[in-house]
Amino acid sequence: MKLPWMSRADRRRWKSARTVADLGELMALWLEGEIASRPGYQPRFGPDEETEHLVASLAALCRAGYITTCSQPGSAGTGANGLWWEQRAAVELVVSNDPALLRRLLAAARAAGMLVRVNDHRRGGVQDEPVIVTTCDGEPITGFGGRISRADMAIQWPELNRDLYRRVAHGVYVSIVAPEYGTAGERLWVLLDQLTGLRLAPDPEDDPWADEPLWSTHGALEVEHGECTLCGAPIHHRGPYCNTACEEADADHDAERTDRDRC
């Protein structure tokens, strides 16, 4: 039986962290199973089974200065309830007091066509809207990004030294989401592994994604049924769209198609 509280030894380890690097190392050790509990998570439990294959990638991010707080793989299939579930590969992380690290992360993610949400808790800062990452039979279930309240922050980071908590609580939280639902979105982890140096960037002829146009360029391709006209994202239901511009672009395309049918 697992006790419903963090051990004293683990509590001391988290309390002893003084820097973001200390925190990143402890988070990596928890991911790798070397520490039984982490702040803000069910005591004496490790990462979910679905993220086991992501442990090396997540630990490398933590050690590189990007402290991961939540993640999920890209998948699609029938769930235990018999309904169709789809997930986008996604990760939420905090970058604290290092503008260079933040710029590098955002530049790499945006260049690869990822969906990026930024929540800057320094003096109010930028607060982006969340993006849907999980659907059930086309209905939105969960999202990544969006404003984190002060109360949520306290729940997410208990057991930390006061000064370190202040740095983390006032850091920049970034959500990076693959635009594709399903396993195609697992390319997110390839991108992040290259960012942290866990894997080398392949030569173009060896890159499985080299022949794929960036998601942001799909709007220039011939629109197929079930795709967003503006960004090319798959649409399996009435909404939600990526943003208002996508919805308006898709509505315009439908209107043009109706006019052609009348002719």
Side-chain angles (χ1 to χ4, degrees), residues 64 66 98-109 194-197:
Y66 306 107
D98 195 328
L101 275 180
L102 178 62
R103 287 194 298 268
R104 186 174 174 223
L105 175 68
L106 297 181
Q194 293 170 359
L195 181 72
T196 61

Side-chain angles (χ1 to χ4, degrees), residues 145-205:
R147 188 176 184 88
I148 305 174
S149 70
R150 183 176 299 179
D152 289 336
M153 198 73 74
I155 293 172
Q156 188 175 81
W157 296 111
E159 314 296 342
L160 292 187
N161 167 271
R162 181 179 298 178
D163 291 337
L164 180 57
Y165 173 83
R166 188 178 298 112
R167 293 183 65 186
V168 174
H170 292 86
V172 181
Y173 284 73
V174 180
S175 297
I176 303 176
V177 181
E180 311 94 335
Y181 282 94
T183 55
E186 291 285 88
R187 67 188 180 95
L188 168 65
W189 310 111
V190 178
L191 167 71
L192 296 176
D193 286 350
Q194 293 170 359
L195 181 72
T196 61
L198 188 61
R199 73 175 89 189
L200 298 176
D203 294 329
E205 60 269 20

